[in-house]
Amino acid sequence: MYMYTRNIYPEQAGRRFVWGFTFCDSVAHACILGHDNVFSSDAMDLSTSEGLGAFVALAVDMSFCESDQLGYDPNIYRNTIKKRWEMSIYDDALEKQQTYHVLSCVQTADRVYGRHTRCFICRKVDPDNESGPEATPEENTASKTISYDKRDILVKDAWPHAENPDRKRKERARDEIEMMRTIDEKLGSDPDFQDKYPKVVAAGVVRQFCGSKRTPIEDTTENMFAKLGKDIIKDIPHRVHKRIAMEPVGLSIREVRSVDELIVVAADVMKAHQEILRRCDILHRDLSPYNMLMTRDPDGMAHGMLIDFDCAVWASEESAQPRANMTGTLPYMSIANLDELAIKRTSLDDWESLIYILCWLGTFGINDQDEKSVDTSKLLPIKAWAEGNAELSASSKRNQMLSMAFSSSIASKFLKLEGYSELSTLVMRLRIELFDNPKMSSIARGTREEEAVKMDFAVSNQTVEQETKGFLDERLDKCILDPFARRAEFEKEISNDLWAVMADAQQQALERIRQQQQQQQ
């Protein structure tokens, strides 16, 4: 049943939950597979009149159910007259439904549990042009890249966790829609950030229209499973079905044509990341190749775009609590996040993720063409970042981020292709500024607390005082010995140093791109 369910979600874009039945001899159970739980009915013994009657009654009831009760989303439907798929989005800013023509599904939900994030390429349905658009994303056969029409928008459909409305809290709730609108409010008029982040076209909580009166209600796990009874659903996580239409539509970072383009795109992403944090108080927390997209100017110049604020938080409200809920993708997650350290989450975690992303692309290829050069038979130390569990990944990174180990086990394994030496140089410079920043004392460098300092409290205080004299962390509490904790206290200073390295690399990459363009003319 799990495999059946897992196959259903990718094939049915409008599937919200799945019904299933289990049979063991003459005993049957009806099941509902939700985002976090499986609900099972009482046993129905088909060999008895009572059990058989209950089963038949259920089958009859299901035949009269509305589509939303069967697990479908009526807001994604086939327009049989126009012969096209359409989607309705409730825009909470305009307080009305808007209709979009679905061109393609570019990301499907492929897991039984979780947010079931799906992404669609759509266009607004024009009431004056009922025939609607027929174009689909085009592939440029010469360059083997995908391009989209400027009229295309991306629609993200997901079921993120949300604060239960019955729970009182002082802090602002994490809401991707609110955050995206805050970003546009603060940065929307700044030409330097045009297309560096997605802008909301329409967004809101999905509404389902229920009953004979077609009363609209918000599509949440509580409302969806309300008829099961409060006692059954009281402990399930609160999820809200949200749909966000945004523009522009970006391309995968793996569409870059050179290492220099990758550096330009990565720098744009980090510039947006830094400004969003500084001006909007929003910390992204989930940097990965999937959230770093690229766009192209009409002249072909590549630019970077930071997307997906599903895991973002209001930075000023982050606290130094154990990170019980890890966010991110295993190979790119920071050590502190993997080890769930009781250290405040800062932008340094995302800078660390960037280093891992660039290392991964440098080792396995920045695009499909370069990936063909990878020798899959090699035993590469970097593979340990993605294999096993969080503890093993963190341990590998702690060892490999040390100066000598990084050079021999990571940087030296980059592909021996054009431009990869520049990428290797960049990640080595970033690693130094993050893990061995010369402005920080030896206590604040590296990936582990110094054992000699931890052994004796008196020796510890004296050693810390001596070691930190003249450095940024000189006045920091002597009891803070974890280098990650010490660096977190100087997030802004270290982030500025990291950005200086990134900005310098971007300028050099742009210069090399211009020189290459001149040679081709």
Side-chain angles (χ1 to χ4, degrees), residues 70-317:
L70 293 173
Y72 296 101
D73 184 353
N75 292 289
I76 300 178
Y77 54 90
R78 179 73 177 171
N79 186 325
T80 55
I81 298 175
K82 303 301 178 183
K83 297 181 179 180
R84 67 190 185 198
W85 283 94
E86 293 182 351
M87 174 189 298
S88 295
I89 299 178
Y90 180 80
D91 188 352
D92 57 14
L94 300 177
E95 296 185 344
K96 68 176 184 178
Q97 295 275 111
Q98 298 199 42
T99 304
Y100 292 83
H101 171 210
V102 180
L103 296 174
S104 63
C105 180
V106 293
Q107 179 180 330
T108 61
D110 59 356
R111 298 182 181 181
V112 176
Y113 298 128
R115 290 179 289 182
H116 291 169
T117 301
R118 300 176 174 97
C119 292
F120 305 87
I121 303 300
C122 301
R123 284 190 197 163
K124 183 77 162 57
V125 171
D126 185 355
D128 298 326
N129 180 17
E130 285 298 320
S131 61
E134 296 298 333
T136 55
E138 299 177 353
E139 181 176 353
N140 185 322
T141 54
S143 62
K144 296 297 180 182
T145 60
I146 301 296
S147 60
Y148 293 98
D149 191 288
K150 287 185 177 180
R151 294 170 294 172
D152 296 341
I153 62 170
L154 183 87
V155 174
K156 177 181 178 181
D157 181 280
W159 287 80
H161 284 119
E163 288 295 332
N164 193 308
D166 296 331
R167 177 183 171 187
K168 296 181 179 179
R169 57 174 287 159
K170 296 179 180 179
E171 302 86 5
R172 288 176 291 180
R174 278 171 43 194
D175 184 343
E176 184 177 20
I177 296 174
E178 180 186 354
M179 288 181 175
M180 291 181 68
R181 285 184 167 143
T182 298
I183 293 169
D184 200 31
E185 178 185 337
K186 301 290 185 180
L187 304 183
S189 60
D190 192 332
D192 289 342
F193 293 95
Q194 184 71 25
D195 294 345
K196 298 299 189 298
Y197 63 90
K199 295 188 176 183
V200 174
V201 177
V205 176
V206 174
R207 260 63 170 177
Q208 299 296 348
F209 295 83
C210 303
S212 58
K213 295 183 179 180
R214 309 305 292 164
T215 304
I217 63 170
E218 292 189 343
D219 202 14
T220 68
T221 47
E222 276 72 16
N223 291 334
M224 187 163 59
F225 299 128
K227 291 186 177 181
L228 295 177
K230 289 185 177 181
D231 291 339
I232 294 177
I233 67 172
K234 64 180 181 179
D235 294 326
I236 68 172
H238 179 67
R239 290 183 182 272
V240 176
H241 189 187
K242 296 181 180 181
R243 197 165 283 159
I244 309 173
M246 61 192 92
E247 60 182 6
V249 178
L251 303 172
S252 166
I253 196 173
R254 289 182 61 81
E255 292 293 322
V256 295
R257 299 167 186 166
S258 66
V259 169
D260 285 332
E261 281 197 348
L262 172 65
I263 294 173
V264 170
V265 168
D268 280 349
V269 166
M270 293 314 295
K271 183 177 181 180
H273 178 282
Q274 292 296 92
E275 285 301 297
I276 288 170
L277 174 59
R278 185 177 70 86
R279 293 159 65 173
C280 309
D281 189 39
I282 294 172
L283 180 62
H284 191 275
R285 297 202 316 163
D286 188 19
L287 214 60
S288 77
Y290 313 109
N291 297 334
M292 300 168 62
L293 300 187
M294 62 166 288
T295 60
R296 286 196 184 277
D297 282 346
D299 61 1
M301 182 63 71
H303 300 281
M305 180 168 66
L306 179 63
I307 68 164
D308 195 354
F309 293 86
D310 226 357
C311 297
V313 294
W314 304 104
S316 60
E317 296 174 6

Side-chain angles (χ1 to χ4, degrees), residues 443-464:
I443 308 295
R445 300 181 193 179
T447 60
R448 288 186 173 87
E449 296 179 30
E450 294 187 20
E451 295 298 325
V453 174
K454 292 193 296 181
M455 287 176 61
D456 184 277
F457 184 75
V459 174
S460 172
N461 274 346
Q462 185 178 3
T463 303
V464 171

